[in-house]
Amino acid sequence: MTDLCQIRIQTPSATIEFVVTPEGRLLCGEAPGIPTAGNGWVFEPALTVVHSDGNTSTDLRVAGFSAEGDLTKIELEDDAYPFQVSLLFQTYPEDDVIETWTEIRHEETGAVRLDKFASSALHLGNQPFWLTQFRGDWADEVHLSEEKLTYGVKTLDSKLGVRAHQFRAPWFILSGGGPAQEDEGLVIGGSLAWSGSFEFDFEVGPRGETRAICGINPFASTYHLSPGDTFQTPKMVWAWSKSGKGELSRKLHRWVRTRVLRDGDRPRDILLNNWEATYFSFNEAKIVSLLDGAKALGMELFLLDDGWFGRKFPRDDDTQGLGDWMPDAEKLPHGLGILTQAAKERGLRFGIWLEPEMVNPDSELFEAHPDCVIRQPHRELELQRNQLILDLTRPEAKEFAFQVADRTLRENPGISYVKWDCNRYVTQPGSPYLPADRQSHLWIEYVRALYEIFARLAEAHPSVELMMCSGGGGRVDYGAMKFAHEYWPSDMTDPARRVFIQWGYSHFFPAIASAAHVTELGNRPLKFAFDVAMSGRLGMDMDVDKLSDADRAYAASAVAAYKEIRGVVQFGDLYRLESPYDGPRSTLQYVLGDSAVVFVYSLGNSPALALDLKGLGAGQYRVSEVLGVFEAEIVGGGAVLLPALGAYESMVLRVDRL
C-alpha cells in the first residue's frame, strides 16, 4: 500500500491497482474505480442513483482511505451531495482470494433511489478473455459452457428471487488469452455470495478493454435508501491462478473449508436417506427397519425426508400439508421422539427434512393466513410443485419459519442434522406486507430475512448440521454456505449424470460439501454407483431391506472402504485428470500428504491407457484398487497403466507412499 495517489490490493497472483487523480477521482486503468451513471460514463455502470431531488447523476471523489491488516477501505463522496460510497476489499493472501463489496449511505433530505448497486467492478485490461459459465436446470445442473467475450455486453443473470440458481450458477471462470486449461494459463474465478437474483455483466469496450460488473440483479429491485441508513451489498469473491483451473479450484476449496463452511475441518458422516427408498409411503415400523439396515451397513446418520407431518392435511404427496409441521399421527403415532431414540440405541445420529419457507394452499397454515405468501393482487395464484412461498419480509412469517426449525429441534433433542429444502422460485413477486412504493424491496429483503433465520438457527443449535437443498442446485453459493455444512447438488442421482454434475461443482466447492448418494436411478451397477458417490460425501437413498444378500454385503464393504479413504477425499487437494466432456473415461484424484485416492469412471468403452497422476512428491508409491484386485507401483508424478473398461465400469484406487 502507498499514499492516496496510488492504492494497491494484492494477493500473490493478483493486483488491483487504483490511481487518485488531482481532482480526487478514483481510476482503475482508464476507467472509473466504480463506474457511475449520469455524469459522463456511457458504458455499463456499477452504480445508478436517483438523488432525493431527482438528480440522476453521481460524481464520486476520494474522501479517505484505510488499510487495517488484510482489509482495505476506500471512501468516496459525491462532490454535490452528502452521498457516500465505501469500496471494501478483504484479501486472503494464502489462498489468492479477494472479497469485494460496497457500502452506500447518505444524509440527503429524503430517500435516495438505488437502481443499480454492484458489489464489484473489476477492470481486467485489454487482452481477450474467454468466459465459462455453469448452466442447467432442475436435475440437470452445472453444465460447463465456454465462449470468447466479444465487443459489447454479455450478461449472466437470474431473476428468480428464491431458489435463484436453478438455471445458472452464481459463479463463473474467466481465462486470459484462450479457453480455460486445467493446468496452465491465467484464470480468474468469480462468485457472488448471495442466494437471490444476481447479475454479471461482462463488457468489452471499443479499445478491447474488458470489465466485469457483478452483484445483485437490479431487475425490479430498486431500493429506497433512507437518510442515515447503510446499504451493504453482498460480497463478490474473486480468486486467481496463473496455472489453470485446477490450481484455482484447489485455492478455492481450501478457502471454502476454512472460511465458509461450518465445521469445515470436521469429517462428514455417512448418511442413509429414506426419500428414494419410500418417498411419502412409510410408517414408524418401516423407518425403524431402515435404521436397522443403516446400522448393519455401518452407516452413521439417518435422514427422515419429506412426508412425516400434517394432520388435517396429511403429507401423503406433495399436494398438501406443507406448512403444518406436526407429526402425522397415522404414520408416526408416537411422534419423532421414538425414532430419535431408536436411532440412538443403534449408534446412529438422526436428521430431519424441513421446508419452512413454503406452504401448500391445502394446509391449516394457509387456511388461517392466506396473506402470508408472496403473491400478486387480482391474480390467480400460480403454483409450482403445488406450493407457494412465505413472504419472509413479513415479521410474523420470518418468525414462523425460524420457529418451525427451532421448535422441531428443541422438542426433539436427538435430531442433529437438518435438510433445509426450497422447491420453487418466485413468479408473482408481490408482498401483501410491503407498502406499494416498496414492492421492489421484496427480492433483497427476502434473502436478508432468510440469512437472519439461518444465523439464529446456527446460534441456537450450534451442534446441528445443515444441508442446503433447493430441489438440488437452486441455492449453492458462498452466502448460503456460510450457514451450512454441505449442499445437495441435484435431484438427478443417476451416477452416469452425477459424474458431470459433480465435475461442474468441483470447480468452486470441495468434496466435503457435496452430498453424493447411491440410488437405483439409472439402473447402473452398484459398484459404479458407489464409486461415483464416494468422490463426495457418501450417502444412500435406497431401501436396504430390499437389497439382495450380495448387494447388502457389497454395500457394507463399500461403506467400510469409504471410511478408510474419507479423510483424503474430504480434505485432500483435488486434481481433475480426465474430463467426462472429452471422452468416455473420466478421472479425478485427491491428494493429502503422502496418500492419494483416484476415481476412474468409464461412461463408454475405454481402452487401456496410461494415466498421469499429479500432486505426489518424489518417491515410490503403491497403487491398489479399493475393493478390487488391481495393483501397481509408480514413481511420484508418474503414470499408471489402467485396464480397459466397459460402459459404467469404474475403479477407486488408493495411492500410498512406500
Side-chain angles (χ1 to χ4, degrees), residues 102-170:
T102 303
E103 293 178 352
I104 306 167
R105 60 199 175 279
H106 72 93
E107 296 294 342
E108 299 186 25
T109 56
V112 165
R113 201 176 86 197
L114 305 179
D115 287 336
K116 188 170 184 179
F117 27 83
S119 298
S120 179
L122 192 64
H123 303 274
L124 299 168
N126 289 62
Q127 69 171 309
F129 279 90
W130 274 251
L131 168 68
T132 301
Q133 63 168 301
F134 298 80
R135 60 173 177 80
D137 198 350
W138 173 77
D140 194 28
E141 288 84 354
V142 293
H143 292 274
L144 277 69
S145 179
E146 189 172 33
E147 63 188 291
K148 183 180 180 180
L149 292 175
T150 58
Y151 184 79
V153 179
K154 169 74 175 183
T155 296
L156 306 180
D157 74 341
S158 163
K159 299 181 179 71
L160 304 181
V162 178
R163 198 173 184 245
H165 311 149
Q166 176 165 332
F167 303 125
R168 182 177 289 111

Side-chain angles (χ1 to χ4, degrees), residues 566-646:
R566 170 166 46 189
V568 179
V569 172
Q570 295 187 4
F571 300 106
D573 284 338
L574 171 66
Y575 293 83
R576 290 182 294 265
L577 304 181
E578 295 176 317
S579 170
Y581 290 89
D582 295 338
R585 194 174 77 178
S586 175
T587 59
L588 60 154
Q589 173 187 358
Y590 297 96
V591 179
L592 184 65
D594 289 332
S595 297
V597 178
V598 181
F599 293 90
V600 184
Y601 308 126
S602 181
L603 299 172
N605 292 318
S606 304
L609 287 173
L611 177 68
D612 291 322
L613 301 185
K614 298 175 183 177
L616 299 173
Q620 288 188 307
Y621 291 81
R622 175 181 291 112
V623 180
S624 55
E625 186 178 4
V626 173
L627 300 177
V629 298
F630 178 84
E631 287 192 2
E633 289 189 11
I634 63 167
V635 176
V640 58
L641 179 62
L642 298 181
L645 297 173

Side-chain angles (χ1 to χ4, degrees), residues 1-10 16-21 24-28 32-34 47 60-68 70-78 83-91 98-105 119 121 123:
M1 306 295 179
T2 62
D3 58 23
L4 272 180
C5 293
Q6 194 174 58
I7 303 171
R8 287 193 182 96
I9 295 94
Q10 291 182 298
I16 301 175
E17 185 171 279
F18 296 100
V19 172
V20 182
T21 70
R25 289 188 171 88
L26 186 71
L27 297 180
C28 186
I34 175 169
L47 183 64
L60 298 174
R61 310 295 177 91
V62 176
F65 164 77
S66 63
E68 299 182 10
D70 294 324
L71 178 65
T72 299
K73 184 177 184 179
I74 304 173
E75 299 176 10
L76 305 149
E77 185 166 8
D78 192 284
F83 178 87
Q84 300 87 29
V85 176
S86 295
L87 307 181
L88 295 103
F89 304 84
Q90 177 71 54
T91 62
I98 300 177
E99 293 177 326
T100 74
W101 69 99
T102 303
E103 293 178 352
I104 306 167
R105 60 199 175 279
S119 298
H123 303 274

